Amino acid sequence: MAGNRHLDLGCGKFPRNPYDRAELHGVDMRPLDAGDAGFTYRRANVVIEAIPYPDDYFDSISAFDFIEHVPRLLADGNGGTRLPFIELMNEIWRVLADGGRFYAVTPAWPYPEAFVDPTHVNFITEDTLAYFTGDAPIGRIYGFRGHFELVRQDWVHPDEARNADADSADNPIRPARQYETGGKRLAQRFRHWSRRMRGKPEERDPPQRHWLRWELRAVKVTG
């Protein structure tokens, strides 16, 4: 990628920059005094409007706690319907350069964080990526025109995913050891039991990893 530009969607006053790009841009539907923002700001409601930048402009785009607010279906005002989530994914792909990254952190099904906020209208699952990734994404039948490759999809806590680099100081929570199988998991259970038997306080519970992280790579050049 030739440039060093990043765009944060739904940025508010404090846009995220998970790849530490030199040039930071933000888009939000709220008014913001760009002169006081410390980054390049453009106002737009990307649920119903295009991202206000030209094709292939960014090297990365982020969406933190954002895509769950994007409706899947809206009336178009002319007796028909439009698909804002599909349209937004098209726009993200359009303004990314070839090889550019889309980094999203979203509360997702089946965890309660996906549902408790009444403005959450787009429920993401681990299988949603099939509509936007690979050589034949399912979203083609709904008008998705982009091409993304999956870099990673995993369950995270937001405080361990602010920066794409797991070891970054931007992440208050460092990568945790999750012993899910084998002898390490047994040893972890024995350690907890031993602490209880000795009257010592329980070790701090691990963070709730109920947010789904997407990292996608935009493919523009084929063949």
Side-chain angles (χ1 to χ4, degrees), residues 160 173-180 184-185 188 191-192 206-207 209:
E160 63 183 347
I173 299 176
R174 293 294 190 271
R177 296 179 179 179
Q178 299 186 68
Y179 303 132
E180 299 297 339
K184 289 185 177 180
R185 184 178 182 183
Q188 185 183 50
R191 185 171 65 253
H192 289 311
R209 293 180 171 87

Side-chain angles (χ1 to χ4, degrees), residues 49-69:
E49 299 176 84
I51 295 175
Y53 286 93
D55 296 356
D56 308 318
Y57 193 76
F58 291 105
D59 302 283
S60 52
I61 294 175
S62 58
F64 287 85
D65 291 290
F66 179 75
I67 61 176
E68 68 271 18
H69 298 277

Side-chain angles (χ1 to χ4, degrees), residues 50-135:
I51 295 175
Y53 286 93
D55 296 356
D56 308 318
Y57 193 76
F58 291 105
D59 302 283
S60 52
I61 294 175
S62 58
F64 287 85
D65 291 290
F66 179 75
I67 61 176
E68 68 271 18
H69 298 277
V70 178
R72 296 192 173 201
L73 185 70
L74 283 179
D76 65 4
N78 297 309
T81 56
R82 58 187 297 182
L83 308 174
F85 185 36
I86 295 291
E87 294 171 9
L88 177 60
M89 293 301 292
N90 278 332
E91 282 293 292
I92 290 169
W93 180 82
R94 178 185 66 80
V95 300
L96 279 172
D98 183 45
R101 299 298 178 93
F102 176 50
Y103 188 86
V105 178
T106 306
W109 183 89
Y111 295 108
E113 289 83 354
F115 304 97
V116 293
D117 188 328
T119 68
H120 290 183
V121 294
N122 187 9
F123 303 115
I124 305 300
T125 80
E126 290 180 309
D127 296 326
T128 303
L129 277 180
Y131 286 78
F132 305 109
T133 58
D135 293 331

Side-chain angles (χ1 to χ4, degrees), residues 9 16 23 36 57 63 79 104 118 137 160 174 190 200 202 204:
L9 299 175
R16 303 291 181 87
E23 189 176 321
D36 297 333
Y57 193 76
E160 63 183 347
R174 293 294 190 271
F190 176 78
K200 291 190 174 183
E202 288 285 343
R204 187 173 63 180

